[in-house]
Amino acid sequence: MNRRDFFKIVTASGAAAASGGCQQATETILPLVVPNDQIVPGVASWYATVCRECPAGCGVIARNREGRVVKLEGNPDHPVNEGALCLRGQAALQGLYHPDRLSGPSVREAGGPAKPILWDAAEKLVAERIGALRAAGKGRAIAVVSQLETGNLGALLDRWIQALGARPRVTLEPFGYESIRAANKITFNRDAIPHYAFEDAEVVLSFGADFVETWLSNVNYTRTFTRMHSFRDGRAGTFIHVEPRQSLTAANADEWVRNVPGTEAMLALAILRVMVDEGAADKRFAEAVAQVDLKRAAEETGVGLPTIKHLAKVFAHAKPGLAIGGGVAVTGSNATQTQVAINLLNAAAGNVGKTVRFGPDSAYGKVTPHAEVAALARAMAGGEIEVLVLGGGVDPVFTLPSGLKFADALRKVALVVSFANLPDQTTELAHVSLPDTHWLESWGDYAPREGVLGLLQPTMAPIRDARPMGDTLLRIGRVALGAEEGKGPLPWPTFEQYLKAAWEPLVKGQLEAALRRGGLFGEVAPVAVTAKVTAGEPAPAKLEGDAGGLTLLAYPSLRFYDGRSAVSSWLQEAPDSITQAVWDAWVEVPEETAKKLGVAQGDMLAVKSPHGSLELPAYISPTLHPGTVAIPLGHRYSPYQRPRYVAADLRSLNPMALLPATADATSGGLAFMAVKVTLTKLGTRRPLAVLQATHDQDDRELARHVDLRAAREQALRGKGPAEAHVTMYDNQKYPGYRWGMSIDVDACVGCQACVVACQAENNVPVVGKASAAYGRQLHWMRLERWAEGNAAHPMNMFLPMLCQHCEVAPCEPVCPVYAAYRTDEGLNGQVYNRCVGTRYCGNNCPYHVRRFNWFQYEFPAPLEVQLNPDVTVRQLGVMEKCTMCIQRIVAGKDRARDEKRSVRDGDIVPACQQTCPTKAITFGNLKDDASEAAKLARSPRAYHVLDEIGTRPSVTYLKKVVREHA
């Protein structure tokens, strides 16, 4: 980005965003000789908004420096995420500053390339076509598809459709969870998705619900799950997970039960049958399980009868418990029956109204059923649709199964208008592109559940020539209707004014307060429901394809969701927590199948179904069910990432190409587990970049665990005297503060949010697949997965590893220029302009946490605008590592000095701690005995990694607590 463009962004953003976020982004450039009172150079401004990277709707606060947003953090006032943020939310800045963002409107004719066009001309072209259809009485030939919009943008879209006489709007969310809604309608006569109170449960029994990754609201449910499960919080509940594949959620379970794919309903009913037979459930539920044969259920599910009885006993004794299901990967043709069985389990155990709460219902209940999406595709293919308007955030060509043939249908539409601001597979087929502003540049509102209404505001001026979708549709609608501004059914000049008018009755003149808080939040009274007992239908899911093939598990990606976040290079380089692979997709193959086929990791395989084929490298899994293969959803690359970071291989990575258009017969929801595939070895290789070579600790006790009973005894007795290590070094004296950190391995779920937050905060470059595979990744923090026990059924522990800030640091004495040194506040400092790149310090670090800049890494324009101005951008030949966010430490001390006091516990929060959904990380002054970090360092579960070598780390870990029955 050149100097002129930079100052355009800075000054325009100063006028628009930094003035409280309450005005439409102006085109007037304010001269810096007349400074805005609310812009202080070097001082950050914060703006509350709502994350739109997925439908969970977490609250976000954006840090704006000199008119540009440089960091996103969770809004502590927002009830959904309470200050936490997942890795996709942290990486949303990459979408804002993406090099491939569309630079303005364009038009494509006769299959040729897109050509730039002026906004007025583009809007006129669309308005004339729509106006002609309306005049001819063919309003039903106009269709609108948007992502889930539960606020006023959705209301405006519906008003626009009504004014033009178009077809009802289709809300497209690939993961719609229709089976949960349909089952609740059957069991409770309520077409809704309730709120699940994990924090109040003693036992959580999950049938494939991957709430740590993507299920419904992953940050909210991960946070509340930790409250019931973490020993630190005094609950130590039990979590049991049923799934054919060891997902990240399964890896966090106290007991993972590997079942035959598609048999979840049968297993749930078998558990209920045992509860009824043993008098642990109301006898009126006997009708529901009268046809259940326990021996047959054990054979067909692959779960032994003793295990079924054990699960029933544990779940029945929970007061209360919680059973959940509906994960995308296990959603088959029997998905609704599975959910009905889970509903009956909850009702029989008395959980409804306690941990299953209707009233604060999820926004997912407002998603258009997949059956209507399929009907729209058929209408398009039949020539019934002449204008298709696609809102931002939807990419049906990529996210819908190939069996639906949506791309073919799209080619038969005379005019396709896309509001996407980044190129994708659907936009490539659009005739007119009218790029919408990014959600960080936009006004709006969003209700993720009843009682929670979040408010979006522009946090900076648009970085490209983009316009809000609402503004554009208002202008197009008025032209099509022949109406003037201020008159007719669409009188509002801008969407901002429409939004403020709609909010005025809610805030009664207090819009500023709502903007500062991030919305309006209230409690919703629970709605009482009565369970209807219906006879269970324990039939397995139906699968297309070769009867001798392998069941395909297409599972949502923790990093990319349905593909909308795959444009982020930060997420591409963040390792998948289970496989530790970066920058590539793979087909997960069971160890037994790999041996039969003679397949090694990295071998290219052709994965074929009756609907398509993919060519992917193999990842050999010892834990995957022998009759399955698994492929992550959402994997794709944006143009600038190839060949800069990954080879220019244009082959598809998307398992939706293998899926049929099969739907659940009851709910009409898309069946993701619907086909069997065959594998063929191609004879070529594409080695995966796997950042952790082994998950075996080799008895090094890096991640440690303790049994629940022993942990309780130790908590009562307190910590014994520390083992003294022979040393030649005196204890260091700390005249002021001594900074340190505690990390609770028992609370860490491996979600990688801390890794991406650290990258965003500290200007860590992206290196690409080749360098990462070579061991040259630059992450200051990595998240290791260690597995113990049976390789096919291991106990997993996740260990965040960063610079340990050792008191006796092996890196310091070997540096010939004293670039690595110990500060008097307990940190290991690194003087960048003194470092000459000998790499002696990296070679001598037993924790392998120091990173070397092998190249002069670039930040492709305009990504360099996102860089944190408080952190030095390192250059070629410099060693770097975790600083415990020294810039935040300095800022915290400066605030305390200005207020003439010492730093209080909680004043300084590093990026990793701030974003962590489970509060596994705690930073503080170890000299302050009352600080949380110091208390945790004295915990009976506390230990130091490699403490036997005498480095005296400032980072303390707390052992994972394992349950005896697991």
Side-chain angles (χ1 to χ4, degrees), residues 492-522:
W492 304 274
T494 64
F495 175 65
E496 176 192 348
Q497 290 174 287
Y498 175 84
L499 177 76
K500 289 181 177 178
W503 269 74
E504 180 53 35
L506 301 175
V507 297
K508 297 179 174 59
Q510 300 297 316
L511 183 63
E512 291 278 356
L515 283 167
R516 280 194 294 271
R517 192 180 181 203
L520 294 176
F521 315 127

PDB file of all heavy atoms in Angstrom, residues 492-522:
ATOM      1  N   TRP A 492     -36.245   5.261   3.108  1.00  0.00           N
ATOM      2  CA  TRP A 492     -35.039   5.606   3.854  1.00  0.00           C
ATOM      3  C   TRP A 492     -33.855   5.845   2.913  1.00  0.00           C
ATOM      4  O   TRP A 492     -33.581   5.038   2.020  1.00  0.00           O
ATOM      5  CB  TRP A 492     -34.687   4.493   4.836  1.00  0.00           C
ATOM      6  CG  TRP A 492     -35.832   4.197   5.754  1.00  0.00           C
ATOM      7  CD1 TRP A 492     -36.151   4.809   6.920  1.00  0.00           C
ATOM      8  CD2 TRP A 492     -36.835   3.190   5.562  1.00  0.00           C
ATOM      9  NE1 TRP A 492     -37.286   4.264   7.469  1.00  0.00           N
ATOM     10  CE2 TRP A 492     -37.736   3.266   6.650  1.00  0.00           C
ATOM     11  CE3 TRP A 492     -37.067   2.243   4.556  1.00  0.00           C
ATOM     12  CZ2 TRP A 492     -38.826   2.434   6.774  1.00  0.00           C
ATOM     13  CZ3 TRP A 492     -38.163   1.409   4.666  1.00  0.00           C
ATOM     14  CH2 TRP A 492     -39.037   1.499   5.761  1.00  0.00           C
ATOM     15  N   PRO A 493     -33.096   6.933   3.127  1.00  0.00           N
ATOM     16  CA  PRO A 493     -31.923   7.190   2.271  1.00  0.00           C
ATOM     17  C   PRO A 493     -30.836   6.119   2.410  1.00  0.00           C
ATOM     18  O   PRO A 493     -30.197   5.745   1.443  1.00  0.00           O
ATOM     19  CB  PRO A 493     -31.422   8.557   2.747  1.00  0.00           C
ATOM     20  CG  PRO A 493     -32.575   9.157   3.500  1.00  0.00           C
ATOM     21  CD  PRO A 493     -33.336   8.019   4.084  1.00  0.00           C
ATOM     22  N   THR A 494     -30.635   5.666   3.663  1.00  0.00           N
ATOM     23  CA  THR A 494     -29.589   4.679   3.920  1.00  0.00           C
ATOM     24  C   THR A 494     -30.095   3.638   4.903  1.00  0.00           C
ATOM     25  O   THR A 494     -31.058   3.864   5.649  1.00  0.00           O
ATOM     26  CB  THR A 494     -28.328   5.333   4.520  1.00  0.00           C
ATOM     27  OG1 THR A 494     -28.662   5.888   5.807  1.00  0.00           O
ATOM     28  CG2 THR A 494     -27.777   6.427   3.621  1.00  0.00           C
ATOM     29  N   PHE A 495     -29.417   2.507   4.939  1.00  0.00           N
ATOM     30  CA  PHE A 495     -29.756   1.473   5.908  1.00  0.00           C
ATOM     31  C   PHE A 495     -29.466   1.945   7.327  1.00  0.00           C
ATOM     32  O   PHE A 495     -30.162   1.564   8.277  1.00  0.00           O
ATOM     33  CB  PHE A 495     -28.977   0.188   5.610  1.00  0.00           C
ATOM     34  CG  PHE A 495     -29.185  -0.877   6.646  1.00  0.00           C
ATOM     35  CD1 PHE A 495     -30.430  -1.462   6.830  1.00  0.00           C
ATOM     36  CD2 PHE A 495     -28.141  -1.289   7.464  1.00  0.00           C
ATOM     37  CE1 PHE A 495     -30.635  -2.439   7.799  1.00  0.00           C
ATOM     38  CE2 PHE A 495     -28.329  -2.264   8.429  1.00  0.00           C
ATOM     39  CZ  PHE A 495     -29.582  -2.843   8.601  1.00  0.00           C
ATOM     40  N   GLU A 496     -28.454   2.783   7.498  1.00  0.00           N
ATOM     41  CA  GLU A 496     -28.146   3.317   8.833  1.00  0.00           C
ATOM     42  C   GLU A 496     -29.367   4.020   9.424  1.00  0.00           C
ATOM     43  O   GLU A 496     -29.713   3.830  10.592  1.00  0.00           O
ATOM     44  CB  GLU A 496     -26.968   4.287   8.748  1.00  0.00           C
ATOM     45  CG  GLU A 496     -26.649   4.966  10.066  1.00  0.00           C
ATOM     46  CD  GLU A 496     -25.686   6.131   9.920  1.00  0.00           C
ATOM     47  OE1 GLU A 496     -25.089   6.276   8.845  1.00  0.00           O
ATOM     48  OE2 GLU A 496     -25.539   6.892  10.893  1.00  0.00           O
ATOM     49  N   GLN A 497     -30.041   4.845   8.609  1.00  0.00           N
ATOM     50  CA  GLN A 497     -31.209   5.560   9.107  1.00  0.00           C
ATOM     51  C   GLN A 497     -32.367   4.604   9.380  1.00  0.00           C
ATOM     52  O   GLN A 497     -33.120   4.785  10.341  1.00  0.00           O
ATOM     53  CB  GLN A 497     -31.612   6.641   8.100  1.00  0.00           C
ATOM     54  CG  GLN A 497     -30.589   7.781   8.052  1.00  0.00           C
ATOM     55  CD  GLN A 497     -30.899   8.780   6.952  1.00  0.00           C
ATOM     56  OE1 GLN A 497     -30.703   8.492   5.775  1.00  0.00           O
ATOM     57  NE2 GLN A 497     -31.388   9.935   7.331  1.00  0.00           N
ATOM     58  N   TYR A 498     -32.527   3.598   8.536  1.00  0.00           N
ATOM     59  CA  TYR A 498     -33.552   2.577   8.782  1.00  0.00           C
ATOM     60  C   TYR A 498     -33.287   1.875  10.117  1.00  0.00           C
ATOM     61  O   TYR A 498     -34.205   1.671  10.923  1.00  0.00           O
ATOM     62  CB  TYR A 498     -33.542   1.564   7.637  1.00  0.00           C
ATOM     63  CG  TYR A 498     -34.470   0.391   7.831  1.00  0.00           C
ATOM     64  CD1 TYR A 498     -35.813   0.480   7.488  1.00  0.00           C
ATOM     65  CD2 TYR A 498     -34.007  -0.810   8.365  1.00  0.00           C
ATOM     66  CE1 TYR A 498     -36.681  -0.606   7.669  1.00  0.00           C
ATOM     67  CE2 TYR A 498     -34.852  -1.897   8.550  1.00  0.00           C
ATOM     68  CZ  TYR A 498     -36.186  -1.789   8.196  1.00  0.00           C
ATOM     69  OH  TYR A 498     -37.028  -2.859   8.382  1.00  0.00           O
ATOM     70  N   LEU A 499     -32.020   1.520  10.362  1.00  0.00           N
ATOM     71  CA  LEU A 499     -31.648   0.821  11.585  1.00  0.00           C
ATOM     72  C   LEU A 499     -31.904   1.691  12.815  1.00  0.00           C
ATOM     73  O   LEU A 499     -32.491   1.235  13.805  1.00  0.00           O
ATOM     74  CB  LEU A 499     -30.165   0.424  11.512  1.00  0.00           C
ATOM     75  CG  LEU A 499     -29.592  -0.259  12.748  1.00  0.00           C
ATOM     76  CD1 LEU A 499     -30.051  -1.704  12.814  1.00  0.00           C
ATOM     77  CD2 LEU A 499     -28.059  -0.206  12.744  1.00  0.00           C
ATOM     78  N   LYS A 500     -31.485   2.945  12.752  1.00  0.00           N
ATOM     79  CA  LYS A 500     -31.649   3.822  13.914  1.00  0.00           C
ATOM     80  C   LYS A 500     -33.118   4.085  14.212  1.00  0.00           C
ATOM     81  O   LYS A 500     -33.525   4.180  15.377  1.00  0.00           O
ATOM     82  CB  LYS A 500     -30.890   5.128  13.686  1.00  0.00           C
ATOM     83  CG  LYS A 500     -29.375   4.964  13.741  1.00  0.00           C
ATOM     84  CD  LYS A 500     -28.661   6.289  13.538  1.00  0.00           C
ATOM     85  CE  LYS A 500     -27.154   6.108  13.679  1.00  0.00           C
ATOM     86  NZ  LYS A 500     -26.406   7.366  13.452  1.00  0.00           N
ATOM     87  N   ALA A 501     -33.919   4.187  13.153  1.00  0.00           N
ATOM     88  CA  ALA A 501     -35.361   4.371  13.355  1.00  0.00           C
ATOM     89  C   ALA A 501     -35.972   3.145  14.031  1.00  0.00           C
ATOM     90  O   ALA A 501     -36.853   3.268  14.894  1.00  0.00           O
ATOM     91  CB  ALA A 501     -36.046   4.642  12.012  1.00  0.00           C
ATOM     92  N   ALA A 502     -35.499   1.970  13.650  1.00  0.00           N
ATOM     93  CA  ALA A 502     -36.018   0.745  14.250  1.00  0.00           C
ATOM     94  C   ALA A 502     -35.559   0.591  15.699  1.00  0.00           C
ATOM     95  O   ALA A 502     -36.277   0.005  16.531  1.00  0.00           O
ATOM     96  CB  ALA A 502     -35.570  -0.464  13.424  1.00  0.00           C
ATOM     97  N   TRP A 503     -34.376   1.104  16.029  1.00  0.00           N
ATOM     98  CA  TRP A 503     -33.841   0.967  17.379  1.00  0.00           C
ATOM     99  C   TRP A 503     -34.376   2.026  18.350  1.00  0.00           C
ATOM    100  O   TRP A 503     -34.287   1.842  19.566  1.00  0.00           O
ATOM    101  CB  TRP A 503     -32.307   1.013  17.343  1.00  0.00           C
ATOM    102  CG  TRP A 503     -31.711  -0.357  17.205  1.00  0.00           C
ATOM    103  CD1 TRP A 503     -31.682  -1.125  16.092  1.00  0.00           C
ATOM    104  CD2 TRP A 503     -31.072  -1.122  18.223  1.00  0.00           C
ATOM    105  NE1 TRP A 503     -31.071  -2.325  16.341  1.00  0.00           N
ATOM    106  CE2 TRP A 503     -30.678  -2.351  17.644  1.00  0.00           C
ATOM    107  CE3 TRP A 503     -30.780  -0.897  19.557  1.00  0.00           C
ATOM    108  CZ2 TRP A 503     -30.020  -3.348  18.360  1.00  0.00           C
ATOM    109  CZ3 TRP A 503     -30.124  -1.883  20.283  1.00  0.00           C
ATOM    110  CH2 TRP A 503     -29.755  -3.102  19.689  1.00  0.00           C
ATOM    111  N   GLU A 504     -34.871   3.118  17.833  1.00  0.00           N
ATOM    112  CA  GLU A 504     -35.288   4.207  18.714  1.00  0.00           C
ATOM    113  C   GLU A 504     -36.325   3.766  19.750  1.00  0.00           C
ATOM    114  O   GLU A 504     -36.195   4.098  20.941  1.00  0.00           O
ATOM    115  CB  GLU A 504     -35.823   5.383  17.870  1.00  0.00           C
ATOM    116  CG  GLU A 504     -36.287   6.576  18.698  1.00  0.00           C
ATOM    117  CD  GLU A 504     -35.230   7.089  19.685  1.00  0.00           C
ATOM    118  OE1 GLU A 504     -34.019   7.035  19.344  1.00  0.00           O
ATOM    119  OE2 GLU A 504     -35.611   7.499  20.787  1.00  0.00           O
ATOM    120  N   PRO A 505     -37.363   2.996  19.382  1.00  0.00           N
ATOM    121  CA  PRO A 505     -38.309   2.554  20.423  1.00  0.00           C
ATOM    122  C   PRO A 505     -37.661   1.641  21.469  1.00  0.00           C
ATOM    123  O   PRO A 505     -38.159   1.547  22.593  1.00  0.00           O
ATOM    124  CB  PRO A 505     -39.367   1.780  19.618  1.00  0.00           C
ATOM    125  CG  PRO A 505     -39.237   2.243  18.215  1.00  0.00           C
ATOM    126  CD  PRO A 505     -37.792   2.559  18.030  1.00  0.00           C
ATOM    127  N   LEU A 506     -36.566   0.982  21.099  1.00  0.00           N
ATOM    128  CA  LEU A 506     -35.909   0.075  22.037  1.00  0.00           C
ATOM    129  C   LEU A 506     -34.999   0.806  23.002  1.00  0.00           C
ATOM    130  O   LEU A 506     -34.926   0.460  24.188  1.00  0.00           O
ATOM    131  CB  LEU A 506     -35.084  -0.974  21.256  1.00  0.00           C
ATOM    132  CG  LEU A 506     -35.845  -1.871  20.268  1.00  0.00           C
ATOM    133  CD1 LEU A 506     -34.868  -2.754  19.504  1.00  0.00           C
ATOM    134  CD2 LEU A 506     -36.856  -2.730  21.013  1.00  0.00           C
ATOM    135  N   VAL A 507     -34.288   1.834  22.497  1.00  0.00           N
ATOM    136  CA  VAL A 507     -33.284   2.513  23.327  1.00  0.00           C
ATOM    137  C   VAL A 507     -33.777   3.825  23.901  1.00  0.00           C
ATOM    138  O   VAL A 507     -33.162   4.379  24.817  1.00  0.00           O
ATOM    139  CB  VAL A 507     -31.991   2.737  22.520  1.00  0.00           C
ATOM    140  CG1 VAL A 507     -31.374   1.407  22.114  1.00  0.00           C
ATOM    141  CG2 VAL A 507     -32.243   3.597  21.285  1.00  0.00           C
ATOM    142  N   LYS A 508     -34.861   4.384  23.317  1.00  0.00           N
ATOM    143  CA  LYS A 508     -35.476   5.617  23.819  1.00  0.00           C
ATOM    144  C   LYS A 508     -34.440   6.726  24.001  1.00  0.00           C
ATOM    145  O   LYS A 508     -34.279   7.289  25.090  1.00  0.00           O
ATOM    146  CB  LYS A 508     -36.207   5.352  25.136  1.00  0.00           C
ATOM    147  CG  LYS A 508     -37.379   4.375  24.982  1.00  0.00           C
ATOM    148  CD  LYS A 508     -38.062   4.120  26.311  1.00  0.00           C
ATOM    149  CE  LYS A 508     -39.302   3.262  26.133  1.00  0.00           C
ATOM    150  NZ  LYS A 508     -39.035   1.947  25.534  1.00  0.00           N
ATOM    151  N   GLY A 509     -33.722   7.010  22.920  1.00  0.00           N
ATOM    152  CA  GLY A 509     -32.738   8.086  22.938  1.00  0.00           C
ATOM    153  C   GLY A 509     -31.389   7.712  23.512  1.00  0.00           C
ATOM    154  O   GLY A 509     -30.499   8.561  23.600  1.00  0.00           O
ATOM    155  N   GLN A 510     -31.201   6.469  23.906  1.00  0.00           N
ATOM    156  CA  GLN A 510     -29.939   6.024  24.513  1.00  0.00           C
ATOM    157  C   GLN A 510     -29.150   5.120  23.566  1.00  0.00           C
ATOM    158  O   GLN A 510     -28.572   4.125  23.981  1.00  0.00           O
ATOM    159  CB  GLN A 510     -30.234   5.282  25.817  1.00  0.00           C
ATOM    160  CG  GLN A 510     -30.949   6.105  26.865  1.00  0.00           C
ATOM    161  CD  GLN A 510     -30.106   7.284  27.331  1.00  0.00           C
ATOM    162  OE1 GLN A 510     -28.904   7.135  27.583  1.00  0.00           O
ATOM    163  NE2 GLN A 510     -30.715   8.452  27.427  1.00  0.00           N
ATOM    164  N   LEU A 511     -29.130   5.498  22.269  1.00  0.00           N
ATOM    165  CA  LEU A 511     -28.410   4.679  21.297  1.00  0.00           C
ATOM    166  C   LEU A 511     -26.913   4.640  21.598  1.00  0.00           C
ATOM    167  O   LEU A 511     -26.263   3.606  21.419  1.00  0.00           O
ATOM    168  CB  LEU A 511     -28.649   5.214  19.886  1.00  0.00           C
ATOM    169  CG  LEU A 511     -28.008   4.403  18.754  1.00  0.00           C
ATOM    170  CD1 LEU A 511     -28.581   2.998  18.702  1.00  0.00           C
ATOM    171  CD2 LEU A 511     -28.183   5.101  17.415  1.00  0.00           C
ATOM    172  N   GLU A 512     -26.361   5.753  22.060  1.00  0.00           N
ATOM    173  CA  GLU A 512     -24.927   5.799  22.376  1.00  0.00           C
ATOM    174  C   GLU A 512     -24.569   4.741  23.420  1.00  0.00           C
ATOM    175  O   GLU A 512     -23.561   4.050  23.302  1.00  0.00           O
ATOM    176  CB  GLU A 512     -24.559   7.191  22.898  1.00  0.00           C
ATOM    177  CG  GLU A 512     -24.619   8.292  21.862  1.00  0.00           C
ATOM    178  CD  GLU A 512     -23.357   8.349  21.020  1.00  0.00           C
ATOM    179  OE1 GLU A 512     -22.420   7.583  21.314  1.00  0.00           O
ATOM    180  OE2 GLU A 512     -23.323   9.159  20.080  1.00  0.00           O
ATOM    181  N   ALA A 513     -25.409   4.611  24.450  1.00  0.00           N
ATOM    182  CA  ALA A 513     -25.136   3.627  25.507  1.00  0.00           C
ATOM    183  C   ALA A 513     -25.205   2.212  24.950  1.00  0.00           C
ATOM    184  O   ALA A 513     -24.395   1.346  25.299  1.00  0.00           O
ATOM    185  CB  ALA A 513     -26.123   3.804  26.653  1.00  0.00           C
ATOM    186  N   ALA A 514     -26.178   1.960  24.067  1.00  0.00           N
ATOM    187  CA  ALA A 514     -26.292   0.636  23.457  1.00  0.00           C
ATOM    188  C   ALA A 514     -25.088   0.334  22.578  1.00  0.00           C
ATOM    189  O   ALA A 514     -24.597  -0.801  22.546  1.00  0.00           O
ATOM    190  CB  ALA A 514     -27.584   0.539  22.650  1.00  0.00           C
ATOM    191  N   LEU A 515     -24.596   1.357  21.862  1.00  0.00           N
ATOM    192  CA  LEU A 515     -23.410   1.160  21.027  1.00  0.00           C
ATOM    193  C   LEU A 515     -22.196   0.842  21.886  1.00  0.00           C
ATOM    194  O   LEU A 515     -21.380  -0.018  21.527  1.00  0.00           O
ATOM    195  CB  LEU A 515     -23.143   2.419  20.195  1.00  0.00           C
ATOM    196  CG  LEU A 515     -24.049   2.631  18.979  1.00  0.00           C
ATOM    197  CD1 LEU A 515     -23.887   4.044  18.441  1.00  0.00           C
ATOM    198  CD2 LEU A 515     -23.736   1.618  17.903  1.00  0.00           C
ATOM    199  N   ARG A 516     -22.057   1.531  23.006  1.00  0.00           N
ATOM    200  CA  ARG A 516     -20.897   1.284  23.870  1.00  0.00           C
ATOM    201  C   ARG A 516     -20.948  -0.119  24.474  1.00  0.00           C
ATOM    202  O   ARG A 516     -19.931  -0.788  24.595  1.00  0.00           O
ATOM    203  CB  ARG A 516     -20.833   2.335  24.977  1.00  0.00           C
ATOM    204  CG  ARG A 516     -20.248   3.662  24.537  1.00  0.00           C
ATOM    205  CD  ARG A 516     -19.899   4.530  25.728  1.00  0.00           C
ATOM    206  NE  ARG A 516     -21.095   4.932  26.477  1.00  0.00           N
ATOM    207  CZ  ARG A 516     -21.799   6.021  26.226  1.00  0.00           C
ATOM    208  NH1 ARG A 516     -21.443   6.815  25.231  1.00  0.00           N
ATOM    209  NH2 ARG A 516     -22.851   6.323  26.955  1.00  0.00           N
ATOM    210  N   ARG A 517     -22.154  -0.558  24.836  1.00  0.00           N
ATOM    211  CA  ARG A 517     -22.284  -1.875  25.454  1.00  0.00           C
ATOM    212  C   ARG A 517     -22.236  -2.987  24.420  1.00  0.00           C
ATOM    213  O   ARG A 517     -21.847  -4.110  24.711  1.00  0.00           O
ATOM    214  CB  ARG A 517     -23.594  -1.942  26.253  1.00  0.00           C
ATOM    215  CG  ARG A 517     -23.657  -3.156  27.160  1.00  0.00           C
ATOM    216  CD  ARG A 517     -24.951  -3.215  27.936  1.00  0.00           C
ATOM    217  NE  ARG A 517     -24.959  -4.377  28.815  1.00  0.00           N
ATOM    218  CZ  ARG A 517     -26.061  -4.942  29.273  1.00  0.00           C
ATOM    219  NH1 ARG A 517     -27.247  -4.458  28.940  1.00  0.00           N
ATOM    220  NH2 ARG A 517     -26.004  -5.986  30.067  1.00  0.00           N
ATOM    221  N   GLY A 518     -22.663  -2.686  23.211  1.00  0.00           N
ATOM    222  CA  GLY A 518     -22.672  -3.699  22.157  1.00  0.00           C
ATOM    223  C   GLY A 518     -24.046  -4.250  21.850  1.00  0.00           C
ATOM    224  O   GLY A 518     -24.169  -5.198  21.075  1.00  0.00           O
ATOM    225  N   GLY A 519     -25.102  -3.644  22.424  1.00  0.00           N
ATOM    226  CA  GLY A 519     -26.453  -4.109  22.145  1.00  0.00           C
ATOM    227  C   GLY A 519     -27.329  -4.045  23.372  1.00  0.00           C
ATOM    228  O   GLY A 519     -27.018  -3.382  24.368  1.00  0.00           O
ATOM    229  N   LEU A 520     -28.441  -4.745  23.303  1.00  0.00           N
ATOM    230  CA  LEU A 520     -29.386  -4.855  24.415  1.00  0.00           C
ATOM    231  C   LEU A 520     -29.478  -6.318  24.822  1.00  0.00           C
ATOM    232  O   LEU A 520     -29.741  -7.185  23.989  1.00  0.00           O
ATOM    233  CB  LEU A 520     -30.775  -4.346  24.005  1.00  0.00           C
ATOM    234  CG  LEU A 520     -30.893  -2.850  23.682  1.00  0.00           C
ATOM    235  CD1 LEU A 520     -32.301  -2.530  23.208  1.00  0.00           C
ATOM    236  CD2 LEU A 520     -30.544  -2.001  24.893  1.00  0.00           C
ATOM    237  N   PHE A 521     -29.264  -6.578  26.096  1.00  0.00           N
ATOM    238  CA  PHE A 521     -29.221  -7.954  26.580  1.00  0.00           C
ATOM    239  C   PHE A 521     -30.171  -8.111  27.762  1.00  0.00           C
ATOM    240  O   PHE A 521     -30.148  -7.300  28.689  1.00  0.00           O
ATOM    241  CB  PHE A 521     -27.798  -8.340  27.006  1.00  0.00           C
ATOM    242  CG  PHE A 521     -26.733  -7.913  26.027  1.00  0.00           C
ATOM    243  CD1 PHE A 521     -25.640  -7.174  26.430  1.00  0.00           C
ATOM    244  CD2 PHE A 521     -26.852  -8.249  24.682  1.00  0.00           C
ATOM    245  CE1 PHE A 521     -24.667  -6.776  25.528  1.00  0.00           C
ATOM    246  CE2 PHE A 521     -25.877  -7.855  23.770  1.00  0.00           C
ATOM    247  CZ  PHE A 521     -24.787  -7.109  24.196  1.00  0.00           C
ATOM    248  N   GLY A 522     -30.992  -9.121  27.709  1.00  0.00           N
ATOM    249  CA  GLY A 522     -31.926  -9.386  28.790  1.00  0.00           C
ATOM    250  C   GLY A 522     -32.183 -10.868  28.954  1.00  0.00           C
ATOM    251  O   GLY A 522     -31.812 -11.685  28.112  1.00  0.00           O
TER     252      GLY A 522
END
